[in-house]
Amino acid sequence: MQKTPNYKLYFWIVTLALAAAKVIFTFRPEIDLFTEEAQYWLWSENLAWHYYSKPPMVAYLNWIGTSIFGTTEIGVRFFAIAFGLGSAWVTFTFGSYLYSDKVGFWSALILQAMPFWWLISTFHTTDTSVAFFWALMAFWLYRGIKEDKKRWWALAGLAGALGLMSKAVMLLAFPFLIFYLFQRKQLGKKWTKLLLFSGLMALGFIPVLVWNFQNDFMTFRHLSQLAGGGESSNSDFSFGQKLVQFFEYLGGQLAMISIFFIPLLFGSLKNVLKFRSQEKFYLILPAILTFGGFAVLSFGTEVIVNWPIFAYMGLPIVMASWVEEQSKSWHKIRNWGIVIGIGLPLILVLPDFTFLKSIEGVKKGEKAVFRRMSGYQPLADRLNHLQDSLQIQEPFYFSETYHMASELSFYLEGNPQTHMLNMGARRNQFDLWPGMEQFLGQERTGIFVSWNYDSPGEFASFQRLIYEEKFPVTFRGLPLRIATIQVYQNLTEFDPYVPETY
């Protein structure tokens, strides 16, 4: 008698191994924080109800992570790795609940072979937590609908509240759920449980309302601007440009799911539409509604590739369950998609255990991928050295981008609060914090650092320039970028660019 495979054990072996690989990646000395990660870490140094563009969850998680592990990359990325593992676990559990442990196992492997999962489970951004809480909410909601128990509706509401504190797109749970119940003709029967779910989820909106009420509803203005509203919308935007923008959006979404899974994706979607399976329709509905909504939006504004990805969490289960009903040739397509989808990222994130990453072309490719997360530690080390050698007491550091300013705050000794000199950028969180105006006429030393500009220009004037240099940084021996470093004495004029849009 053949022994039944222990798919739960297999799941944990693979998932924990991938988590370990990400921990190893985090300790690679040539890889620094992604610039958005650095920004969200700096938010955690300035805890608030909410922030200019995002809810507070990412800052709270960073505060917890760095409280445990210190101000380190692992402190920032701990929750990315943990929530990535959690998302895989929810996928395995949901697939097992609907079908079998075998389907759950393959669902989790397909998820972990998708590029978007690698992004949200390696780098700690707002997508990390919203994807996890969406998956958890969707699982508990389905149990609530099927088992008709208030407990699951309540738990789903709490997961939704935490998701809403992660990212505003969590609000799409309401049209998704209402539409699903309506087409099943259960909206009237479930309205009391729907109210329970909605009331608990709405708790996550309290921080948004409190902060925005205190800050002239800046987040709402910002989101409206991103959606193509407001004064910045371009009425002369041609249809051809809109079409290009749409196809860029479409290509980006297929890439996030993985081009290797496109046959499985279309085969399983066709199956759902043909046989009208309610549980599979439940799983694909968030993806369809969200993808369609952002597709329409892409004709009016640029849609960032990561915006819809949280809604794709149910697709691996649909794909895995469909493949199990197909011939062995489809199993091979699935298996190769998983091998490539996991193998390529592993080669990229792990240190050079083999000779492959020492090949010049591969090394250049890796440099291009990690360009935005390299060079900040060496740059900060150089600035620390200059501060000592020039005997500068309590300087303030500033740059023209929040990216550089945030990275410097993380990597400089003592983690000082840095500043952004707006030289033409849109509004951001730095506009709401005390700025460089506080240093006017105070004989303080200001250190300007930039990848892009040779000086602060007309936006800030100082009594004198003490020192300047061009500092080159490398990636594994290859030239990467050159930073301008200028040390000034006594800020005399401060006239930053004031953006009119949000």
Side-chain angles (χ1 to χ4, degrees):
M1 183 176 179
Q2 189 173 6
K3 186 177 179 181
T4 304
N6 189 340
Y7 286 104
K8 184 175 291 186
L9 175 62
Y10 299 162
F11 161 76
W12 282 113
I13 290 173
V14 173
T15 304
L16 291 174
L18 293 179
K22 291 172 188 177
V23 172
I24 293 171
F25 169 75
T26 299
F27 285 102
R28 284 182 61 179
E30 70 272 30
I31 307 295
D32 302 324
L33 289 183
F34 181 49
T35 55
E36 294 298 327
E37 290 181 293
Q39 176 195 199
Y40 298 143
W41 164 80
L42 192 54
W43 290 5
S44 74
E45 296 290 288
N46 300 268
L47 290 176
W49 278 92
H50 195 271
Y51 297 89
Y52 173 76
S53 59
K54 302 288 192 307
M57 180 62 73
V58 68
Y60 297 164
L61 293 173
N62 278 331
W63 183 85
I64 295 170
T66 53
S67 295
I68 297 171
F69 299 102
T71 305
T72 59
E73 286 93 347
I74 193 63
V76 172
R77 290 183 178 154
F78 170 77
F79 278 104
I81 299 169
F83 278 7
L85 190 153
S87 298
W89 171 79
V90 173
T91 301
F92 170 81
T93 306
F94 202 173
S96 299
Y97 176 82
L98 289 173
Y99 303 106
S100 66
D101 280 0
K102 183 178 183 180
V103 171
F105 169 76
W106 287 112
S107 300
L109 256 64
I110 290 173
L111 172 70
Q112 293 175 103
M114 289 180 167
F116 85 81
W117 180 85
W118 279 90
L119 289 175
I120 65 176
S121 62
T122 305
F123 308 108
H124 190 197
T125 67
T126 53
D127 294 310
T128 298
S129 49
V130 77
F132 169 72
F133 288 122
W134 178 277
L136 196 60
M137 177 201 70
F139 175 44
W140 284 339
L141 269 178
Y142 186 84
R143 294 197 66 170
I145 294 169
K146 184 176 181 179
E147 300 174 20
D148 203 29
K149 294 180 180 178
K150 288 185 178 179
R151 175 182 66 200
W152 297 117
W153 288 85
L155 287 171
L158 293 175
L162 294 171
L164 200 51
M165 289 178 64
S166 302
K167 203 168 183 180
V169 289
M170 199 74 181
L171 287 170
L172 294 175
F174 292 111
F176 150 62
L177 181 57
I178 291 171
F179 183 87
Y180 179 75
L181 292 175
F182 176 78
Q183 62 87 34
R184 288 197 63 173
K185 300 179 181 179
Q186 291 186 337
L187 192 57
K189 299 176 183 177
K190 305 288 188 183
W191 72 270
T192 55
K193 297 180 179 69
L194 181 60
L195 285 177
L196 172 64
F197 165 78
S198 302
L200 289 171
M201 183 171 173
L203 295 175
F205 207 57
I206 292 175
V208 183
L209 292 176
V210 170
W211 186 89
N212 276 277
F213 185 78
Q214 296 171 341
N215 291 274
D216 197 29
F217 294 93
M218 283 189 179
T219 304
F220 295 96
R221 296 168 185 259
H222 168 68
L223 293 176
S224 173
Q225 202 81 65
L226 288 180
E231 298 175 2
S232 66
S233 57
N234 188 352
S235 58
D236 297 326
F237 200 49
S238 72
F239 179 74
Q241 288 174 301
K242 293 182 179 182
L243 207 58
V244 168
Q245 210 160 253
F246 167 75
F247 281 110
E248 286 177 350
Y249 163 76
L250 177 61
Q253 298 314 297
L254 293 176
M256 284 290 98
I257 293 171
S258 176
I259 58 173
F260 304 108
F261 290 138
I262 289 176
L264 274 62
L265 175 65
F266 284 103
S268 56
L269 291 180
K270 181 180 177 181
N271 177 266
V272 175
L273 297 176
K274 181 178 180 179
F275 293 102
R276 309 290 178 89
S277 166
Q278 280 297 312
E279 71 267 13
K280 291 180 180 178
F281 183 66
Y282 177 88
L283 292 167
I284 69 168
L285 184 59
I288 291 174
L289 293 179
T290 305
F291 174 85
F294 281 113
V296 173
L297 190 62
S298 71
F299 282 96
T301 188
E302 180 187 6
V303 175
I304 307 303
V305 69
N306 64 293
W307 287 357
I309 59 177
F310 71 97
Y312 300 156
M313 297 299 292
L315 294 179
I317 304 174
V318 178
M319 294 159 67
S321 62
W322 177 76
V323 170
E324 282 304 302
E325 301 169 352
Q326 308 308 310
S327 65
K328 289 185 178 181
S329 60
W330 282 102
H331 291 200
K332 290 180 180 179
I333 294 174
R334 175 200 63 193
N335 296 347
W336 276 109
I338 291 170
V339 169
I340 297 171
I342 292 178
L344 289 180
L346 278 179
I347 292 172
L348 190 65
V349 303
L350 288 173
D352 191 13
F353 293 134
T354 68
F355 70 92
L356 286 175
K357 298 176 81 168
S358 299
I359 299 172
E360 197 68 15
V362 176
K363 190 189 293 186
K364 287 181 179 180
E366 190 181 36
K367 185 188 82 168
V369 171
F370 294 127
R371 178 181 175 82
R372 285 186 62 187
M373 56 193 84
S374 298
Y376 293 103
Q377 179 70 73
L379 179 57
D381 291 342
R382 178 59 181 169
L383 293 169
N384 288 328
H385 173 75
L386 287 175
Q387 183 177 337
D388 290 339
S389 61
L390 297 174
Q391 298 182 338
I392 302 170
Q393 301 296 320
E394 297 183 351
F396 62 91
Y397 292 88
F398 66 102
S399 182
E400 87 286 359
T401 69
Y402 70 81
H403 303 283
M404 174 67 84
S406 301
E407 294 275 9
L408 291 180
S409 182
F410 185 85
Y411 286 106
L412 282 168
E413 187 175 314
N415 308 114
Q417 176 69 48
T418 52
H419 303 276
M420 175 186 162
L421 173 64
N422 199 321
M423 297 170 65
R426 65 168 176 81
R427 295 176 193 262
N428 58 74
Q429 185 62 36
F430 277 91
D431 292 316
L432 305 179
W433 291 332
M436 289 170 56
E437 66 278 357
Q438 63 187 299
F439 305 118
L440 279 166
Q442 289 197 3
E443 299 293 332
R444 293 280 298 275
T445 301
I447 301 179
F448 174 69
V449 187
S450 174
W451 298 123
N452 309 303
Y453 290 89
D454 292 329
S455 75
E458 72 274 16
F459 300 101
S461 299
F462 292 81
Q463 187 175 8
R464 65 191 180 101
L465 175 66
I466 299 174
Y467 176 85
E468 68 176 327
E469 71 171 54
K470 298 290 186 180
F471 182 74
V473 297
T474 62
F475 179 85
R476 298 183 59 206
L478 296 175
L480 187 66
R481 287 189 280 189
I482 298 175
T484 295
I485 301 173
Q486 293 181 320
V487 182
Y488 291 96
Q489 184 68 38
N490 188 16
L491 179 64
T492 56
E493 293 183 31
F494 180 62
D495 186 26
Y497 169 79
V498 180
E500 295 180 359
T501 61
Y502 289 83

